[in-house]
């Protein structure tokens, strides 16, 4: 008996010792993520939970001398930091400090805005979408993720997938254009690029779908302003890109600044919880936008910071970005039973889950490699350059003046963007260094070398009404065989908080065109911009127009290759170019008018200058008739459409097939046409290629009602590909 008591006593004490020295479950790599999350949660104090769902920022500079001061700036136990530095060593110092001084050693999540590249900068997203090359965008975003990861980041606040149809709104540059389906496809492509196969892969970082939802509808194009989002358009237009991003596995979502018809995106239970978490089963976390919790006060739905915090958390915002509302108010809100512990625990678990999925508990530190190997490597720059090439849209090419012929011996390169690096990088360009961007002048000299003389004249500033440079420009034009006139926007004219009352260029640029045109030589207009422009004053004076957007690090090189015929432009517009600001909003998927030939503008044509999907090529494509597997199908059947396209020109090219559906008589009015599939293929000169679209009625013909219920209606439909249009019937 005594022996057994002694044995049990020894056993118990061994277990106690083990328990005290045993690794807690949440630190065990072999345990399931959910068990680690739950184990850690139950060990956390209320204060630790509150700071876990709060985000600060650091790294404004990475001066080693004031790192300690930085640590003081960083609240103990903070869940996440916006990391403005590109120094992984400093980041690891902060992480080490956090893990060694915090009681439970929970790693910090470092995030930043890597929108179209980290240091190797790709074209702005609006331009990327013109490539209609989702695979290439995935590759470009994988490059961004690798450079970001090596610089200390675990998370990017990207992709921005706000459908935008008002180019007065400067953030139009940041998303993938006017079309819901296009934004959905690129949302999935970007998530795949950032997150790779698994979140804890070597170069994976968490994606963040933003800004959820309807931000592109900010009234009058005025950033941060009220957005009247009807329930029908919410489901039909603004939610699908987010649903696609969630299906692709996006780890996080960012709630938006804007109102959603009276209930701000950061206090909207219906969008944040009912739709995102309950219906779509999203198990990542929602972060607010910068200060968007506190901004519920000026938006008129909260009287105090405490009330703002209560509304945001209860609506479904899991983490509070930088305004300290959660840090300073949640404890009292819980005490006053205005926020439940259940909701706080849910938010904390969502944040911890992403951290575990990223592998942050097991590998909290960035692998340090020499900075000379971190950025701008040859293959990565080549991906960005190819994407910039495929983003270029040829808008006009009278008498095939392009590509420039061998007879051209002198080119007058003119305009504020001709010898410019800064503005070719675009807004939201992270750690991209404009000095590493190639100007159009340098690119043209590199490309055309000794065979052509490039004479440069700036001509004018972007907007200063100063014409003293015109004479030099006109002289250059007179002495040249062709003028390449580079006009457009500063990068600071698009991006956040950059609304403009007009999308026309400053008049001095239009006057420069007029002066140069008067020299009597052919003019190739090159546009570098972050939004559609009203170029109705410029278009008639240009023999050719090349839209290069803001190409990023590749700068002028893709353009030079296009002008020299080494690259055949393949871009198609991801957004309509209005004829004037007065036409806004105008987009391809509008509803039909009650009187299609009336109600038109009296003073200008009703058509825009260029529709979504427009883009020329140096070669010609002959579309065959669209062939259908059947003239009618039942709702439970699929319909296969094929079309052959022949490259009837002399130059190899890449052609994007845009497949549109129209449903002219339905229970509610439907868009005149809706893009439902696209595919880009190489077609060599003289060759034919077949494109196929397998129509799945529930996916491609059904439409949501005002609460997201899909309706699939029998009736007559049309399928369009190029100029081809075929009818088919859908039966019950
Ligand atoms: C900004 C932007 C958002 C960005 C965030 C962090 O205000 O609206 O897109 O991710 O703050 O920089």
């Amino acid at each position: 008996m005594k022996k057994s008591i002694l044995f049990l006593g020894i056993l118990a004490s061994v277990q106690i010792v083990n328990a005290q020295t045993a690794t807690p479950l949440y630190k065990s790599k072999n345990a399931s993520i959910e068990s680690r999350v739950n184990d850690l949660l139950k060990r956390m104090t209320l204060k630790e939970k509150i700071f876990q769902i709060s985000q600060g920022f650091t790294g404004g500079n990475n001066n080693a001398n004031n790192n300690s001061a930085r640590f003081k700036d960083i609240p103990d136990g903070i869940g996440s930091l916006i990391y403005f530095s590109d120094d992984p060593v400093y980041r690891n110092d902060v992480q080490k400090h956090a893990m060694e001084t915090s009681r439970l050693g929970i790693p910090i999540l470092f995030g930043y805005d890597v929108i179209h590249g980290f240091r190797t900068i790709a074209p702005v997203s609006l331009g990327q979408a013109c490539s209609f090359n989702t695979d290439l965008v995935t590759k470009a975003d994988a490059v961004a993720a690798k450079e970001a990861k090596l610089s200390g980041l675990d998370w990017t606040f990207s992709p921005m997938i706000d459908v935008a149809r008002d180019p007065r709104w400067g953030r139009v540059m940041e998303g993938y254009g006017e079309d819901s389906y296009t934004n959905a496809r690129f949302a999935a492509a970007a998530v795949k690029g950032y997150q790779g196969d698994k979140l804890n892969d070597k170069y994976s970082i968490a994606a963040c779908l933003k800004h959820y939802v309807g931000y592109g509808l900010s009234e009058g194009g005025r950033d941060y302003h009220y957005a009247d989002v009807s329930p029908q358009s919410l489901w039909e237009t603004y939610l699908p890109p987010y649903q696609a991003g969630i299906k692709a596995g996006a780890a996080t979502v960012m709630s938006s600044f804007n109102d959603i018809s009276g209930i701000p995106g950061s206090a909207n239970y219906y969008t944040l919880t009912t739709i995102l978490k309950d219906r779509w089963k999203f198990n990542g976390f929602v972060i607010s936008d910068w200060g968007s919790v506190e901004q519920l006060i000026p938006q008129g739905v909260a009287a105090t910071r405490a009330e703002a915090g209560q509304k945001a958390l209860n609506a479904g915002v899991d983490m509070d970005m930088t305004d300290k509302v959660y840090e300073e108010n949640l404890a009292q809100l819980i005490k006053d039973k205005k926020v439940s512990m259940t909701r706080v625990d849910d938010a904390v678990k969502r944040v911890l889950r992403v951290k575990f999925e990223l592998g942050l508990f097991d590998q909290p530190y960035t692998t340090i490699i020499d900075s000379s190997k971190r950025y701008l490597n040859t293959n990565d720059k080549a991906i960005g350059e190819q994407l910039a090439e495929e983003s270029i849209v040829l808008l006009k090419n009278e008498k095939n003046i392009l590509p420039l012929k061998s007879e051209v011996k002198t080119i007058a390169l003119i305009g504020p963007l001709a010898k410019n690096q800064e503005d070719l990088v675009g807004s939201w360009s992270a750690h991209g260094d404009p000095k590493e961007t190639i100007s159009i002048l340098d690119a043209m000299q590199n490309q055309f070398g000794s065979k052509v003389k490039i004479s440069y004249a700036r001509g004018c500033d972007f907007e200063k009404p100063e014409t003293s440079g015109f004479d030099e420009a006109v002289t250059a034009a007179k002495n040249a065989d062709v003028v390449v006139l580079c006009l457009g926007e500063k990068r600071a004219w698009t991006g956040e908080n950059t609304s403009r009352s007009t999308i026309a260029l400053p008049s001095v640029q239009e006057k420069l065109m007029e002066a140069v045109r008067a020299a009597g030589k052919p003019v190739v207009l090159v546009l570098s911009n972050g939004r559609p422009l009203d170029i109705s004053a410029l278009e008639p004076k240009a023999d050719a127009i090349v839209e290069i957007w803001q190409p990023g690090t590749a700068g002028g090189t893709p353009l030079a290759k296009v002008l020299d015929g080494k690259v055949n432009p393949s871009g198609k517009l991801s957004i309509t170019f209005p004829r004037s600001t007065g036409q806004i909003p105008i987009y391809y998927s509008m509803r039909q008018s009650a009187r299609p030939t009336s109600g038109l503008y009296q003073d200008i044509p009703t058509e825009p200058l260029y529709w979504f999907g427009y883009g020329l090529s140096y070669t010609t494509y002959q579309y065959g008739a669209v062939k259908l597997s059947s003239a009618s199908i039942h709702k439970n059947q699929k319909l296969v459409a094929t079309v052959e396209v022949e490259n009837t020109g002399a130059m190899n090219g890449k052609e994007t097939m845009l497949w549109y559906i129209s449903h002219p008589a339905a229970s509610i009015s439907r868009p005149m046409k809706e893009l439902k599939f696209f595919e880009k293929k190489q077609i060599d000169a003289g060759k034919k290629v077949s494109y196929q679209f397998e129509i799945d009625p529930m996916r491609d013909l059904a439409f949501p009602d005002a609460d997201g219920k899909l309706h699939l209606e029998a009736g007559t439909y049309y399928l369009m590909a190029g100029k081809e249009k075929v009818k088919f019937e859908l039966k019950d």
Side-chain angles (χ1 to χ4, degrees), residues 58-62 83-88 90 112 118 151 153 431:
T58 187
N61 70 51
N62 48 11
Y83 191 55
F84 288 106
S85 166
D86 63 353
D87 178 5
Y90 172 52
Y112 184 58
F118 182 87
S151 304
L153 293 180
H431 293 277

Side-chain angles (χ1 to χ4, degrees), residues 593-667:
S593 152
R595 293 187 180 183
T597 57
S598 302
L600 310 178
Y601 295 113
Q602 292 183 334
D603 55 338
I604 59 169
T606 294
E607 295 284 300
L609 201 54
Y610 306 112
W611 282 112
F612 168 94
Y614 177 81
L616 301 175
S617 170
Y618 285 157
T619 191
T620 49
Y621 296 109
Q622 180 63 46
Y623 278 51
V626 174
K627 294 190 178 71
L628 297 178
S629 56
S630 167
S632 70
I633 54 167
H634 291 280
K635 288 180 179 177
N636 61 353
Q637 292 176 315
K638 299 227 171 105
L639 179 67
V640 177
T642 54
V643 65
E644 277 211 327
V645 179
E646 182 178 1
N647 179 340
T648 50
M651 200 170 175
N652 297 346
K654 292 174 182 170
E655 177 68 347
T656 295
M657 181 57 66
L658 300 170
W659 294 93
Y660 298 91
I661 287 281
S662 86
H663 183 189
S667 60

Side-chain angles (χ1 to χ4, degrees), residues 211-450:
H211 307 78
Y212 186 69
V213 61
Y215 188 17
L217 264 176
S218 299
E219 230 165 37
R222 291 182 291 271
D223 208 353
Y224 313 119
H225 274 241
Y226 182 82
D228 196 2
V229 190
S230 73
Q232 185 62 35
S233 65
L234 176 70
W235 280 101
E236 194 170 274
T237 303
Y238 298 96
L239 284 173
Y242 289 89
Q243 190 165 23
I246 298 298
K247 277 185 183 158
T252 69
V253 170
M254 183 182 293
S255 66
S256 61
F257 288 131
N258 59 287
D259 244 286
I260 301 173
S261 302
I263 305 176
S266 297
N268 198 303
Y269 186 88
Y270 178 63
T271 53
L272 291 168
T273 297
T274 304
I275 296 173
L276 185 64
K277 296 178 180 176
D278 294 349
R279 287 201 201 176
W280 293 351
K281 309 295 180 208
F282 173 63
N283 70 358
F285 71 86
V286 174
I287 183 165
S288 75
D289 201 336
W290 189 298
S292 66
V293 173
E294 184 176 41
Q295 286 165 196
L296 297 176
I297 298 172
Q299 273 177 303
V301 296
T304 63
R305 282 168 53 86
E307 188 183 3
Q310 173 190 345
K311 289 205 167 182
L313 190 69
N314 287 340
V317 174
D318 300 305
M319 181 181 277
D320 174 24
M321 183 187 281
T322 68
D323 58 22
K324 298 180 185 284
V325 171
Y326 283 12
E327 287 168 42
E328 294 169 358
N329 295 281
L330 278 196
Q332 190 59 48
L333 287 167
I334 291 161
K335 202 170 167 194
D336 299 345
K337 300 196 182 327
K338 290 182 175 174
V339 168
S340 72
M341 207 54 232
T342 306
R343 176 66 195 99
V344 170
D345 285 348
D346 172 57
V348 173
K349 284 174 68 172
R350 287 172 179 273
V351 173
L352 295 178
R353 183 178 296 125
V354 171
K355 291 186 176 182
F356 279 114
E357 285 171 348
L358 280 163
L360 268 182
F361 282 84
D362 309 322
Q363 175 38 50
Y365 302 110
T366 302
T367 305
I368 305 297
I369 71 168
D370 187 278
S371 61
S372 64
K373 296 189 176 62
R374 250 178 252 155
Y375 310 118
L376 298 161
N377 83 41
T378 307
N379 293 341
D380 296 341
K381 286 203 294 185
I383 289 167
E385 184 169 318
Q386 185 190 342
L387 186 50
E389 287 171 4
E390 296 203 20
S391 302
I392 289 178
V393 185
L394 181 60
L395 296 173
K396 185 177 184 181
N397 192 18
E398 291 293 287
K399 303 189 191 78
N400 292 323
I401 180 177
L402 293 179
L404 296 175
K405 307 302 177 281
S406 55
E407 295 75 22
V408 170
K409 296 303 176 199
T410 305
I411 296 172
L413 187 67
I414 299 169
L417 275 146
K419 189 180 178 185
N420 176 306
Q421 293 168 283
E422 171 86 22
D423 299 298
L424 296 183
V425 182
S427 181
W428 287 113
S429 52
H431 293 277
D433 180 349
K435 291 194 294 298
E436 292 158 352
T437 302
I438 301 155
S439 72
I440 292 173
L441 176 58
D442 286 350
M444 294 289 281
Q445 285 167 340
N446 296 342
Q447 184 65 33
F448 289 90
S450 55

Side-chain angles (χ1 to χ4, degrees), residues 25-41:
L25 179 67
Y26 76 92
K27 291 191 174 182
S28 163
K29 289 184 185 173
N30 304 320
S32 74
I33 285 181
E34 285 314 303
S35 62
R36 298 176 79 178
V37 167
N38 291 327
D39 178 62
L40 178 51
L41 182 79

